[in-house]
């Protein structure tokens, strides 16, 4: 016997979309029909949103801290409608980690933020009133970029994969 033991499967739970920590973030940015077909995926204790492809949304992704978590999330998403081609990839940004991607593969680099948003079917929120220190109706990109959601650091895309979507 080699002394190696098989690690336990990660605790992955599928929940209603509104249970996701980042639901409000996506509610302001993604088509309502896609949002209604989304699922919250709880990894350990934190549920995050997985948004399916459809309409103008061509792809999505969900970050994972380990290969075991990535495999478990992929196994949950793969049979569901809206998560075609669910696959595990290695990402170097925003930090080195595994991710589960679905839909079309994203380009290696983005021409600009608008191209990235369009690929993931995201729009800019119509109001910035929720950004501290920002007057309603006034768009300040630098300040808005500093206002983050849990999605910005866990399952989001950052250059070359940019912030936001899954």
């Amino acid at each position: 016997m080699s002394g190696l033991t098989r690690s336990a499967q990660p605790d992955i739970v599928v929940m209603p979309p509104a249970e996701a920590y980042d639901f409000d973030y996506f509610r302001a940015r993604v088509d309502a029909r896609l949002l209604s077909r989304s699922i919250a995926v709880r990894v350990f204790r934190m549920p995050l949103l997985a948004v399916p492809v459809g309409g103008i949304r061509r792809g999505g992704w969900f970050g994972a801290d380990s290969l075991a978590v990535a495999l478990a999330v992929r196994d949950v998403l793969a049979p569901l409608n809206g998560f075609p081609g669910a696959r595990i990839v290695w990402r170097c940004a925003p930090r080195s980690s595994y991710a589960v991607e679905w839909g079309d593969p994203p380009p290696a680099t983005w021409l600009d933020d608008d191209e990235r948003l369009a690929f993931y079917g995201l729009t800019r929120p119509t109001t910035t009133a929720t950004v501290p220190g920002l007057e309603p109706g006034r768009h300040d990109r630098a300040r808005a970029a500093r206002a983050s959601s849990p999605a910005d650091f866990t399952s989001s895309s950052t250059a070359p994969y940019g912030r936001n979507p899954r």
Side-chain angles (χ1 to χ4, degrees):
M1 215 164 154
S2 68
L4 295 176
T5 59
R6 185 174 179 185
S7 62
Q9 286 291 333
D11 182 22
I12 307 291
V13 178
V14 174
M15 303 169 67
E19 298 293 319
Y21 281 16
D22 52 354
F23 179 80
D24 289 334
Y25 177 85
F26 284 97
R27 181 173 52 189
R29 291 166 175 80
V30 75
D31 181 87
R33 290 172 298 213
L34 287 178
L35 192 65
S36 69
R37 293 179 34 228
S38 300
I39 62 169
V41 178
R42 188 182 78 194
V43 178
F44 304 111
R45 290 188 235 170
M46 187 174 182
L48 295 171
L49 203 62
V51 181
V53 296
I56 63 168
R57 183 176 169 85
R58 295 176 43 208
W61 68 281
F62 193 98
D65 286 337
S66 71
L67 181 56
V69 169
L71 287 166
V73 170
R74 185 207 53 200
D75 290 349
V76 164
L77 297 178
L80 300 176
N81 187 23
F83 299 91
R87 61 203 172 271
I88 297 170
V89 298
W90 179 257
R91 295 236 170 141
C92 293
R95 62 185 176 87
S96 295
S97 65
Y98 291 98
V100 178
E101 285 184 347
W102 55 89
D104 294 343
T109 59
W110 304 103
L111 295 175
D112 58 29
D113 200 40
D114 292 333
E115 180 189 30
R116 182 187 53 78
L117 290 173
F119 179 86
Y120 290 109
L122 297 174
T123 59
R124 297 186 193 282
T126 56
T127 180
T128 54
T130 59
V131 178
L134 202 57
E135 297 170 24
R138 181 170 171 252
H139 186 72
D140 181 338
R141 267 187 121 146
R143 236 185 245 150
R146 287 192 299 269
S148 61
S149 87
D152 289 337
F153 303 104
T154 54
S155 299
S156 315
S157 306
T158 326
Y161 292 93
R163 274 191 169 181
N164 308 323
R166 283 182 290 295

